[in-house]
Amino acid sequence: MENIAQIRKDKPFESLLDFCRRVDLRVCNKRVIESLIQAGAFDSLPGHRSQLVAMLDETVEAALKWRKEREDLQIQLFDFVETTNWDIEYPDIPPYSGSQQLELERELLGMYLSGHPLDDYDELLQKAGTDRLMDLNETPDDTVVTVPGMVVSIKTITTKQGKAMAFMEWEDQIERCEVVLFPEVWKRSAHLVEKGALLALRAKVQQQDEGFKLLAEELAPLEEERLLQLVRRGKARGAAPGQREPFRPDKGKKAAAPAQAKASEHQAPRVSSAAARASDAVTPSADSPPARERSGNGGPPNRPEPGP
């Protein structure tokens, strides 16, 4: 890459042929050039990507031939500027489709460069009112959302109960997150989930120390009718981001304080009543008869006559 950057400083490249003539093909070989083409590095030059890949072999051979002729001094000279007396025709072939081009970018760079597969669904997603992953970082736990996305990877496991479930890496045009598909959801949705699949997901948000993950409830293809149904069911299940009242840790305490005060008011009379009853039990009133009656001569208390 340093060799390419240094040569380009002297003069911008004019074509694929000009590039192959000027760079060191021992360092920048055909495999490297093809990767650069498919990654979009030559998009500013004449020809589209599939044309450049198709003519690469012929172009490299022509550049090597030119170098040999140059060494043999068989190059035409005009005004002290070297020019070739031949050129390469661009083949008449169709360009890569959008999905092919994006997949080649992802394969070579590990990311999409010129777009994203979801771009073709922008109008439908706006109509349906779906959520975006980038808006979920501050969304309260258990908020139900409907997010379109693409399956990046999938991992299945078996629970202790012997049921299958899955973990899915999920992304839209901007953000990426983990999705958990518990056994019942995975059983219903497994036939839809494969790497590269474009789907709509209804799920609950679960915040973590770093980022968030989604607990899947339902998956559906990105078809208008299915998507609209999914969004409606999601709104019926819970508030969308920004519509649910944010959690306040002190709200519960403030609400509990009046209830506690009211409870104390009801408890106070019960405590006083019990104390009064206890006091009555140990302190006889003035008009109460004595607990034990004595005989008139001061002897022991009268006992009832024994029975016959």
Side-chain angles (χ1 to χ4, degrees):
M1 295 302 107
E2 293 180 1
N3 175 257
I4 296 173
Q6 185 61 42
I7 294 173
R8 190 174 58 183
K9 284 182 180 179
D10 300 332
K11 180 185 176 184
F13 297 113
E14 297 177 355
S15 64
L16 177 62
L17 178 59
D18 181 48
F19 177 88
C20 293
R21 286 176 52 221
R22 293 167 59 189
V23 301
D24 186 348
L25 292 176
R26 293 170 299 180
V27 177
C28 189
N29 55 34
K30 282 195 294 186
R31 185 175 180 180
V32 172
I33 298 173
E34 182 176 354
S35 297
L36 291 172
I37 292 171
Q38 292 174 338
F42 287 79
D43 285 358
S44 62
L45 302 181
H48 53 71
R49 297 184 192 184
S50 63
Q51 283 180 320
L52 298 181
V53 170
M55 62 188 288
L56 180 59
D57 286 346
E58 184 181 358
T59 303
V60 169
E61 291 178 6
L64 291 173
K65 180 181 177 181
W66 174 85
R67 284 180 180 274
K68 185 176 184 307
E69 291 179 348
R70 183 172 183 267
E71 292 172 0
D72 296 339
L73 298 178
Q74 295 180 4
I75 289 293
Q76 300 176 5
L77 300 177
F78 297 97
D79 298 328
F80 303 102
V81 177
E82 294 182 341
T83 61
T84 58
N85 55 6
W86 38 259
D87 202 352
I88 304 294
E89 293 186 2
Y90 291 86
D92 184 16
I93 57 176
Y96 293 134
S97 66
S99 58
Q100 285 178 316
Q101 182 167 302
L102 290 172
E103 188 56 38
L104 287 169
E105 290 176 0
R106 184 67 172 261
E107 182 180 336
L108 293 165
L109 304 174
M111 60 180 292
Y112 296 119
L113 192 64
S114 61
H116 192 279
L118 284 175
D119 292 345
D120 294 337
Y121 296 87
D122 277 347
E123 186 176 345
L124 173 60
L125 300 180
Q126 290 179 7
K127 177 181 178 181
T130 56
D131 304 303
R132 300 180 302 176
L133 293 179
M134 64 178 290
D135 297 327
L136 304 184
N137 288 296
E138 303 297 329
T139 301
D141 283 344
D142 294 331
T143 300
V144 178
V145 297
T146 303
V147 286
M150 187 183 75
V151 179
V152 178
S153 63
I154 187 76
K155 177 184 177 182
T156 58
I157 65 169
T158 302
T159 67
K160 293 180 180 179
Q161 291 74 29
K163 297 180 179 181
M165 63 174 291
F167 297 89
M168 181 169 65
E169 194 173 8
W170 182 261
E171 75 168 24
D172 59 13
Q173 292 101 320
I174 301 174
E175 190 94 12
R176 183 179 291 189
C177 73
E178 181 187 45
V179 178
V180 183
L181 298 98
F182 291 111
E184 290 304 316
V185 178
W186 177 240
K187 184 178 180 180
R188 297 194 307 266
S189 308
H191 66 287
L192 296 173
V193 179
E194 61 181 7
K195 184 178 179 181
L198 300 176
L199 302 168
L201 166 70
R202 192 185 80 229
K204 282 186 178 180
V205 177
Q206 185 177 91
Q207 296 293 344
Q208 299 178 297
D209 292 338
E210 296 183 3
F212 63 91
K213 64 182 177 182
L214 298 176
L215 308 182
E217 293 186 345
E218 185 178 359
L219 283 160
L222 281 180
E223 301 169 358
E224 182 170 356
E225 185 176 349
R226 297 289 302 278
L227 178 60
L228 293 174
Q229 290 176 354
L230 196 67
V231 171
R232 284 195 295 270
R233 285 196 289 268
K235 289 181 178 179
R237 288 275 292 111
Q243 296 179 347
R244 178 175 291 190
E245 184 179 354
F247 172 71
R248 298 190 186 93
D250 59 340
K251 183 178 179 182
K253 297 179 181 178
K254 291 179 181 178
Q260 292 174 355
K262 189 173 182 181
S264 299
E265 293 174 0
H266 289 290
Q267 290 173 357
R270 289 198 297 270
V271 173
S272 300
S273 177
R277 286 195 297 271
S279 176
D280 291 342
V282 297
T283 306
S285 62
D287 55 351
S288 298
R292 300 172 67 188
E293 295 182 0
R294 294 183 177 272
S295 62
N297 59 4
N302 296 325
R303 292 187 177 90
E305 293 294 333

